Amino acid sequence: MTDGTSPPERPPLDNLTLSRKEGFRQLAQAPPRVQPDELTVKELAALSDRPRAVYDRQRRDWHANLGPIRTPQLAALQEDLWDIVDSNVQDGDKAKGAVAVDAFPGLGKTTAVLHFAQKFHLREIAEEGEFTQAGQERWPVCRVGLTSNIGMKDFNRAILEFFAHPDRFRGTAAEFLQRALDCVLEYETKILIIDDLHFLKWSERNGREVSNHFKYIANEFPVTLIFVGVELGNRGLYSETDECGDVTLAQTARRTTPLSMERFSVDNDKSRREWRNLLLWLEKRIVLTGKFPGMLADDLSDYFYVRTKGHIGSLMTLVNRGCQRAVREGTERLDKELLDRVKIDAASEKGRKKLEDSLRARLWTSKTSKERTVATGKGGGG
């Protein structure tokens, strides 16, 4: 859009949106974003002030919301989630299997789970309708995001907060849990996502309480539990005994399927092709007038791997911030000079020099054998 008008806006989403049912529905049912037109340098220069401001605003929003990308990691995780959720149609007297998506930060696990949940929400609404047989709104998914050092009562209240239950401000932990069960039954909820589970108080003293709490939910709530967090195994989620040998934790461990996501590697040609495909996908979606074929996948492949170590979250941040700077400074392209001025997370920057040194020593590359052969034929380096 370059005529000074904006495309239809998606509904506003604040930072707490996904903690509320209406916000989750807005996310799941929002129309897809429209990629801004790709203008030439001449067309961009011809825009007057107002259309240029609108165009740049469209590009800011677009670059900040690239994705989700159907990477091999995301596809594999979602296939496993479909297997587990679709098989959890047992009668009410049988407990349903739970899932624990346990991966290092910055690998896209929350993004992948939420994308799956959106698709599940849409499928359920399409198959069953927006309202239950009793006339209540249907809410196929409940998502709870935990905060630092949260306890069981706060956890139960967070479920009620998602459903906007009128009695979510007063009561005991047990009363909150019973009201949460009423909501799940009334709205025919089938998935309960618990994000950032590692924030839950999980000490030796209350580890048994936490395990029993989830066991009760698995037994009584007709939902598939999807836990998302970091080092959940080390926190005892899959343990069959505690440090004293108590087997109370065993039931939760036996019913929970651990899933994970890995970073991109460049150890072989298959993994290098996956890395290249990711960069090609991003190339197609970047809206810069100075963009050219191979800008990311050829010229910046090694550079991006050095900066991000294969973590997709860090890569998306670097590309987003790089595009914002390229538009603001008028360079309208991404290159090493510009990206070197863009700051990202500390974890990615740690060890950067060591990777750069090993790259210069030709100890590794992100380029496939075919790309290296082409580069050599053109007189280029490895």
Side-chain angles (χ1 to χ4, degrees), residues 1 34-38 55 58-59 62 287:
M1 302 283 180
V34 178
Q35 182 168 340
D37 297 335
E38 293 189 7
Y55 182 61
Q58 292 172 4
R59 293 197 291 174
W62 174 256
V287 185

Side-chain angles (χ1 to χ4, degrees), residues 158-175:
I159 299 177
L160 298 181
E161 182 69 34
F162 180 89
F163 291 109
H165 194 286
D167 291 329
R168 62 189 183 278
F169 300 112
R170 186 173 300 175
T172 65
E175 288 171 337

Side-chain angles (χ1 to χ4, degrees), residues 8-18 20 22-27 30-31 33 57:
E9 292 188 2
R10 291 161 59 95
L13 302 173
D14 61 55
N15 64 328
L16 294 177
T17 291
L18 298 182
R20 306 182 180 105
E22 292 85 2
F24 185 87
R25 179 169 61 188
Q26 286 179 349
L27 180 66
R33 282 185 170 82
R57 174 56 185 268

Side-chain angles (χ1 to χ4, degrees), residues 5 11 37 48 67 95 97 214 220 270 273 335:
T5 61
D37 297 335
S48 58
F214 290 143
E220 304 299 327
K270 179 177 181 296
R273 280 194 298 273
D335 55 32

Side-chain angles (χ1 to χ4, degrees), residues 14-76:
D14 61 55
N15 64 328
L16 294 177
T17 291
L18 298 182
S19 297
R20 306 182 180 105
K21 61 185 191 302
E22 292 85 2
F24 185 87
R25 179 169 61 188
Q26 286 179 349
L27 180 66
Q29 299 182 190
R33 282 185 170 82
V34 178
Q35 182 168 340
D37 297 335
E38 293 189 7
L39 303 183
T40 64
V41 174
K42 184 176 180 180
E43 289 171 334
L44 183 67
L47 293 179
S48 58
D49 289 347
R50 174 59 183 165
R52 174 63 183 266
V54 171
Y55 182 61
D56 286 349
R57 174 56 185 268
Q58 292 172 4
R59 293 197 291 174
R60 285 199 301 275
D61 291 344
W62 174 256
H63 290 138
N65 293 281
L66 295 172
I69 307 172
R70 188 174 169 79
T71 63
Q73 295 91 328
L74 180 142

Side-chain angles (χ1 to χ4, degrees), residues 16 18-21 142-147 150-181 183-184 192-194 200 213-214 217 221:
L16 294 177
L18 298 182
S19 297
R20 306 182 180 105
K21 61 185 191 302
C142 172
R143 181 261 178 191
V144 175
L146 303 189
T147 56
I150 193 171
M152 299 313 300
K153 181 177 179 179
D154 294 327
F155 167 73
N156 295 340
R157 197 184 77 80
I159 299 177
L160 298 181
E161 182 69 34
F162 180 89
F163 291 109
H165 194 286
D167 291 329
R168 62 189 183 278
F169 300 112
R170 186 173 300 175
T172 65
E175 288 171 337
F176 284 170
L177 186 60
Q178 188 58 49
R179 292 167 193 163
L181 174 57
C183 288
V184 165
L192 173 57
I193 298 171
I194 305 171
L200 196 66
H213 195 78
F214 290 143
I217 292 177
F221 284 45

